[in-house]
Amino acid sequence: MINYYATEFIREGDNLGVFERVLTLRKEAHTHAFYAILFMREGSGLHVIDQKSYDIVPGGVFFIDRSVPHALEPFGKLKYTELILTPEFFGKDGEGENALRRVFYTDSEYQPSVTLNQDEREALEAILHCTSRECERRAGDFRAILRLYIALIGQYLARAVERARSELANRDPAYILSVTLEYVNKHFTENISQEELAGRFGYNSAYFSRMFKKHMGENLTDYITKKRIELAARLLVETDLSAEQVSERVGYKSKPQFYNTFTKYMNTTPRQYRIDAKQKT
């Protein structure tokens, strides 16, 4: 995996850069030794960050921490502004650096995205424009002005994240669950993680887990397992697929894991279940 360094994009010693990007092809997974904030302007796509998928929409913002792998997959043409910041930009005390990182961490869990409303988007676009212009002019004590702009960007992002979290907290849990179940029921044979689902709604994993279990009476893993075993039982009866083929069809990569899970839930082995079902008919 490629690891990028700031000096590949900005002059050594600048520690900050603002770039307008246009992407039409997938940008494969990579890491970098600097912080990057991506402000999505036009287009849509999928952003995979640390193996979790996030939808790309206009007004979306992504904070990419150092050494975190991410990949971009545009659906057509994608336009965005990328802000690059090195740790050295924030100075030796690290307070500004820590303040920026805290915006996108909740209970130590990395939540790298937020979608801006129209007012937030207009304000941040104006600040980014001023930041870019200051980088180009390099007049007087421009670095001090840049630090002020970055602090202001951080404050606006913190406000946007807080607003988004407040809106999420006030959402009807029944709606969140209905959307979650609709997705899970379509994709339960795939590798679905609780963290990925929680991230789709801006929740941290622990809160999402508690909400799901409170309203469903079981955790997400058990729900997915039951869906897989129900499908496996149907395939064993209605098709001539081998147990190994059924295992793969319902989402298990390990035959022993499928065998043990099926036996636990159905109180019989896959082979015996098929025999018993045929005898009944």
Side-chain angles (χ1 to χ4, degrees):
M1 185 182 297
I2 298 176
N3 183 52
Y4 292 106
Y5 294 89
T7 50
E8 298 178 61
F9 306 99
I10 58 179
R11 284 180 287 191
E12 190 170 357
D14 274 7
N15 299 323
L16 180 150
V18 182
F19 304 92
E20 298 300 325
R21 309 289 197 194
V22 177
L23 194 65
T24 57
L25 300 175
R26 175 181 171 84
K27 189 172 181 62
E28 296 296 338
H30 61 280
T31 59
H32 33 68
F34 50 83
Y35 299 107
I37 307 178
L38 279 55
F39 299 84
M40 299 300 164
R41 294 184 178 277
E42 298 178 22
S44 61
L46 198 65
H47 199 169
V48 181
I49 306 173
D50 202 17
Q51 299 183 333
K52 300 174 187 176
S53 298
Y54 302 86
D55 293 328
I56 295 174
V57 296
V61 177
F62 296 95
F63 171 74
I64 311 302
D65 209 342
R66 291 186 296 159
S67 301
V68 171
H70 70 116
L72 288 161
E73 184 172 347
F75 301 157
K77 181 183 289 187
L78 187 64
K79 294 183 179 181
Y80 62 96
T81 302
E82 181 175 15
L83 175 62
I84 290 176
L85 298 162
T86 70
E88 290 76 18
F89 173 84
F90 297 98
K92 294 182 179 180
D93 63 8
E95 180 53 36
E97 181 179 4
N98 292 333
L100 179 62
R101 294 182 77 252
R102 281 196 297 269
V103 173
F104 294 93
Y105 281 82
T106 302
D107 299 329
S108 299
E109 185 174 336
Y110 180 41
Q111 293 185 300
S113 70
V114 65
T115 301
L116 307 176
N117 62 30
Q118 188 61 34
D119 289 343
E120 293 162 348
R121 186 176 177 182
E122 290 176 359
L124 280 165
E125 285 179 351
I127 299 170
L128 282 169
H129 175 73
C130 292
T131 303
S132 178
R133 187 174 58 183
E134 202 64 40
C135 285
E136 294 172 359
R137 289 180 175 179
R138 304 172 65 84
D141 194 5
F142 72 98
R143 287 187 173 85
I145 295 175
L146 288 175
R147 283 193 289 272
L148 291 174
Y149 283 145
I150 297 306
L152 192 56
I153 288 172
Q155 290 173 357
Y156 266 100
L157 289 175
R159 181 188 293 176
V161 168
E162 184 61 32
R163 184 264 310 155
R165 288 173 182 166
S166 177
E167 290 177 356
L168 285 170
N170 292 326
R171 279 187 186 176
D172 181 4
Y175 167 76
I176 300 297
L177 284 170
S178 68
V179 175
T180 298
L181 292 176
E182 181 180 3
Y183 180 84
V184 171
N185 290 341
K186 290 180 180 178
H187 300 277
F188 65 86
T189 60
E190 302 170 15
N191 184 24
I192 300 175
S193 72
Q194 183 169 277
E195 290 77 10
E196 177 186 350
L197 284 173
R200 284 176 170 268
F201 301 104
Y203 292 125
N204 66 52
S205 179
Y207 177 84
F208 183 82
S209 175
R210 290 194 299 270
M211 182 182 69
F212 189 94
K213 188 169 185 178
K214 177 181 177 181
H215 290 85
M216 296 299 295
E218 60 186 339
N219 62 41
L220 179 63
T221 300
D222 287 341
Y223 181 84
I224 291 174
T225 299
K226 285 172 62 176
K227 296 290 293 183
R228 288 180 170 182
I229 297 305
E230 288 171 2
L231 176 59
R234 194 165 73 248
L235 291 174
L236 287 168
V237 174
E238 298 176 359
T239 74
D240 293 325
L241 294 172
S242 68
E244 185 172 0
Q245 289 173 319
V246 169
S247 170
E248 294 175 354
R249 186 74 65 88
V250 301
Y252 288 98
K253 299 186 182 300
S254 165
K255 184 179 177 181
Q257 183 187 12
F258 167 68
Y259 185 94
N260 292 334
T261 304
F262 189 95
T263 303
K264 175 183 175 182
Y265 274 80
M266 304 301 288
N267 294 316
T268 186
T269 66
R271 179 176 180 276
Q272 191 60 47
Y273 182 87
R274 171 173 272 168
I275 292 172
D276 292 343
K278 287 184 177 180
Q279 288 177 346
K280 290 178 182 178
T281 58

